[in-house]
Amino acid sequence: MRYISTRGGGEPLSYSEALLEGLARDGGLAVPAELPHVDGETLERWRALTYPQLATEVLALFATDIPRDDLARMTAAAYESFPSEVVPLRPIGDGLTLVGLSEGPTLAFKDMAMQFLGQVLEYALERSGAVLNVLGATSGDTGSAAEHALRGKDRISVFMLSPLGRMSPFQRAQMFSLDDANVHNIAIAGVFDDCQNLVKQLAGDLEFKRAQSLGAVNSINLARITAQVVYYFWAWLRATDATGGAEVSFTVPSGNFGNILSGFYAKRMGLPVRRLVLATNENNVLDEFFRTGVYRPRAAAETLATSSPSMDISKASNLERFAFELFDRDPARVSAAWRELDEQGFFDVTGDQPRFAEEFGLVSGTSTHDDRIETIRSVHAGSGDIIDPHTADGVKVAREHVEDGVPMLVLETAKPEKFAETIHEALGVQLEYPAELHAMLAAPQHVTEMADDAQQLRAFIEAAALRGDTMGDITTGAARHDS
Ligand SMILES: *Cc1c(COP(=O)(O)O)cnc(C)c1O
């Protein structure tokens, strides 16, 4: 399998090359030259597999340059710390079932992909003899998932910027309690956008970037997208174990369009998916796009801080990969749309809008703070389950799209313990942390505080970065928003 750019430039790459590259050299995103197809017989054969075994089968379709035994070893290691079923399903009534994607070390769905990425990055670096210094900015979830996936790796170090004093105590503890020598937490005196700008400045200096072997692991990373495809297959298999191969629908709490893009790929690979329901919070740029056909990213200042913070996005980095399919894989049309976006701040495909639902099964909806609170309450009253605010956005929008006889699977993207304040507001209960979380919250913290100053950050990285062969020109995609 080769990977091409959505903008049509550059040479096709292997999986290992594309996963190290981030943004394609022409500014586009790497996509499979053609999506693999999975037939009904193969699907039935996959029913007997464990999650890591299924991951090996699905990822082998994409990572054709990696021997299957190596893939099997990596998927086993990636999901080792998860409960035995890795992704449990729980019905909550009214035709809805939660798909538990938050059983990993940081209690959010990003672990699903990041844990595999940690394995495959180290593997690709070993094969090429290179090292990678990951530079990122986080407002919480991505940074902690990345650090937990990359800690202790020989050929990788992590420099993670976060806004000083602006993360929750839980998020701080998740990142700063790590004492691995290859993890560098840097708290910047500023807001998330300041952190993001520092990353852009340093990664935009190509000479510095090459000299320091800088790279990124953000949500446009190809390995993350492909690792996420696996759980759509898993959830479909488990939801239809009793009934056989019927269609199901999925609802996905969405931000950067990474998670749901993987579901979109699974459907196009032949998985019997009826609807992919995209749920946004008040930052509903994607709901607007799927309802109207007009994509209009917002300015950072127009982006609201909500009680489902991991979905607070102003633009959706992965949407370009959907546009590539919408435009019948014509890179000239993708380039034209993104040029319009740059020039006038939006692009308009209203003529194609009916195809979103008809051809691709994509529909959408918005959920607000009041909806989240009400949904956390009603789910708790109905089934006794406590769901986190992001999952609540999903359940709220899922209810508007349930169809008779079609199971509706809602992706649970975080555990409620991560967002205890909102749970308290909804249910009046203070969630009890398990013992290992208490230990994490009480552990000594490792963080370097720094002014919002690119010069200081450069010096810090120069002193602490891993040295080795550089990988040549790794374009990181750091210019794209990812929290
Ligand atoms: C990152 C995140 C999302 C959004 O996922 P995308 O892939 O960016 O659409 C939703 N919920 C939680 C809890 C997250 O951490």
Side-chain angles (χ1 to χ4, degrees), residues 99 101-102 108-110 112-113 219-221 224-232 250-266 276-279 286 311 318-319 321 362 390-391 410-414:
V99 179
L101 300 179
S102 313
F109 96 97
K110 292 192 174 65
M112 294 299 305
S219 78
I220 56 169
N221 185 283
R224 287 179 63 181
I225 300 296
T226 54
Q228 289 165 186
V229 171
V230 177
Y231 52 70
Y232 286 90
F250 286 96
T251 299
V252 188
S254 292
N256 268 315
F257 202 76
N259 196 350
I260 197 166
L261 174 76
S262 301
F264 173 72
Y265 280 174
L276 287 162
V277 183
L278 180 146
L286 282 173
M311 294 157 61
N318 277 295
L319 193 68
R321 288 181 165 125
L362 273 157
H390 306 79
T391 309
V410 182
L411 303 191
E412 182 182 46
T413 54

Side-chain angles (χ1 to χ4, degrees), residues 131-133 153-157 159 212-213 464-468:
V131 298
L132 178 64
N133 293 299
K153 298 268 183 268
D154 288 335
R155 293 179 169 273
I156 305 171
S157 69
F159 296 85
Q212 305 303 323
S213 307
L466 286 179
R467 302 284 156 207

Side-chain angles (χ1 to χ4, degrees), residues 3-13 21 24-28 331 335:
Y3 293 84
I4 57 176
S5 164
T6 49
R7 308 266 175 103
E11 287 295 306
L13 301 175
E21 174 144 339
R25 271 154 226 224
D26 58 0
S335 303

Side-chain angles (χ1 to χ4, degrees), residues 319-346:
L319 193 68
E320 183 165 338
R321 288 181 165 125
F322 169 71
F324 186 66
E325 305 298 325
L326 178 72
F327 295 149
D328 303 315
R329 309 198 121 223
D330 178 354
R333 292 183 66 195
V334 176
S335 303
W338 259 258
R339 210 163 35 241
E340 268 178 53
L341 206 52
D342 281 344
E343 282 163 11
Q344 59 184 28
F346 67 94

Side-chain angles (χ1 to χ4, degrees), residues 7 52 76 100 109 121 194 203 208 223 229 316 324 340 355 361 365 378 394 419 461 463 470:
R7 308 266 175 103
F109 96 97
L121 256 187
D194 299 320
F208 181 77
V229 171
F324 186 66
E340 268 178 53
R355 293 173 62 207
S378 67
F419 302 96
I461 291 174
T470 64

